[in-house]
Amino acid sequence: MKALVTGFTGKVGYEVAQKLMAKNIPFVGAVRNPEKAKAEFGDGYEFVTLDFSKPETFDEALGQVDRIFLMYPPGDNLQFGSFLEQAKKHGMQHISYLSLKDVQFMPFIHHYKMEKLIKKSGIPYTFVRAGYFMQNLNDFLGKEIKERRRIFVPAGKGKTSFVDTRDLAEVSVEALMHPVTHRNTSYVLTGGEALDFYEVATIMTDILGVDIEYADPSVKEFKEFMKQMNMDERFTNVVIGIHVPTKLGLAKGITHDYQKVTAKEPIDIRTYINDFKSSWI
């Protein structure tokens, strides 16, 4: 067994790599620039060039592996159909694909289309359908929390079922290690509770020892602020798109797929905030 880990430099891909390494399972990190990745992460990892907009990079990336942790990356002119065709030719045994909770109801998003492409390819798969990442709080929301002590997203009073990316990685790796058990399955992963951002701010205040508030901006206020910060309009719209379902009350569902796969309870948000304290103080 040897796995190709796409999205290595991202939140989930990196955690997948760490869990594979801990289990002594060989893998190669798929990145656009291996030299840059080596400079950032060190020589302890093997990297290969993979750019989903450049089919000429596919054969080398796929030639030494028999299963894939697959993510949908940012970028234009992505050739996923061609990539999957090449993976099929290379005899790929399994794909663990990071998808999105409730994707089956959202035919307009790329995850819906990707799941269809993977099914069509005939390669055995596991779809890991993720709830809202806890790590968003120390990723694109982190700067605002650290500098202004506020959570600033247009999510209203809606609750969301936060999930830790480490749990997503654990199920993804389980599927790669035991492809027969998890063949052609879909798992919806959430945490064990649904919280609104007012509650998250209260928990952060308690654990960090500093006052954190949830500002609850309107979509218009959020857009205006992001424009003042010179943020890319496409990124702003993506952030709004992530949080509108929460505002509409559509993101609060809790599942128990993580417990079924791992026989453990998912990481709770208090543990996550304690683990990443240094991101905000």
Side-chain angles (χ1 to χ4, degrees):
M1 169 185 174
K2 188 172 186 179
L4 183 72
V5 178
T6 70
F8 178 92
T9 59
K11 293 186 285 292
V12 183
Y14 181 77
E15 291 296 340
V16 167
Q18 299 314 299
K19 292 188 182 297
L20 289 170
M21 183 175 286
K23 295 176 182 295
N24 294 314
I25 296 172
F27 68 91
V28 56
V31 295
R32 288 189 177 95
N33 188 330
E35 292 306 315
K36 182 179 178 182
K38 285 181 181 178
E40 182 176 353
F41 296 99
D43 294 327
Y45 300 96
E46 179 183 359
F47 294 106
V48 67
T49 301
L50 177 62
D51 186 330
F52 286 107
S53 68
K54 297 178 180 178
E56 63 269 22
T57 67
F58 295 170
D59 273 337
E60 182 182 357
L62 293 165
Q64 53 180 313
V65 300
D66 61 4
R67 57 205 75 192
I68 309 169
F69 170 72
L70 185 59
M71 288 185 59
Y72 194 100
D76 299 317
N77 194 34
L78 304 180
Q79 305 293 310
F80 264 119
S82 296
F83 177 79
L84 291 170
E85 288 176 10
Q86 289 301 314
K88 180 75 170 179
K89 289 178 182 177
H90 280 278
M92 208 58 54
Q93 294 183 20
H94 201 80
I95 291 175
S96 183
Y97 177 67
L98 181 67
S99 189
L100 185 68
K101 180 176 176 285
D102 300 323
V103 66
Q104 67 271 30
F105 306 120
M106 295 182 280
F108 49 88
I109 67 170
H110 54 248
H111 291 300
Y112 181 94
K113 298 168 186 175
M114 271 300 299
E115 288 195 4
K116 279 193 165 298
L117 282 174
I118 292 170
K119 287 181 178 179
K120 185 179 178 181
S121 77
I123 301 171
Y125 64 84
T126 301
F127 296 148
V128 179
R129 294 173 172 170
Y132 187 94
F133 294 177
M134 292 181 187
Q135 277 74 5
N136 288 340
L137 291 166
N138 64 300
D139 184 19
F140 66 84
L141 301 179
K143 186 173 186 289
E144 189 70 12
I145 295 172
K146 186 171 184 176
E147 293 182 358
R148 294 183 177 86
R149 302 301 189 199
R150 67 177 185 174
I151 300 172
F152 196 79
V153 287
K157 297 178 180 179
K159 292 181 181 290
T160 192
S161 48
F162 291 84
V163 63
D164 196 299
T165 59
R166 292 171 291 185
D167 287 343
L168 299 174
E170 184 170 2
V171 172
S172 299
V173 169
E174 173 68 22
L176 294 175
M177 291 176 60
H178 304 288
V180 174
T181 302
H182 304 287
R183 180 186 176 94
N184 297 349
T185 55
S186 301
Y187 297 120
V188 180
L189 300 190
T190 72
E193 60 184 338
L195 301 166
D196 62 41
F197 281 97
Y198 290 104
E199 293 171 307
V200 173
T202 297
I203 294 168
M204 294 189 79
T205 295
D206 181 54
I207 293 174
L208 301 180
V210 295
D211 289 333
I212 306 295
E213 68 167 345
Y214 173 45
D216 190 16
S218 67
V219 169
K220 181 180 179 181
E221 289 169 337
F222 182 76
K223 282 186 173 181
E224 289 175 351
F225 174 74
M226 295 293 272
K227 188 175 182 179
Q228 291 171 11
M229 295 294 103
N230 296 315
M231 299 301 292
D232 182 82
E233 185 177 359
R234 289 177 299 178
F235 174 74
T236 298
N237 289 333
V238 167
V239 175
I240 292 170
I242 290 171
H243 294 91
V244 164
T246 297
K247 190 168 188 173
L248 295 175
L250 303 176
K252 61 186 177 181
I254 299 296
T255 72
H256 300 283
D257 285 357
Y258 177 82
Q259 292 92 322
K260 292 175 184 176
V261 174
T262 68
K264 298 188 300 185
E265 291 299 314
I267 295 170
D268 64 67
I269 199 161
R270 293 159 187 81
T271 299
Y272 154 75
I273 293 169
N274 267 304
D275 288 348
F276 291 91
K277 267 186 178 182
S278 61
S279 298
W280 306 292
I281 56 177

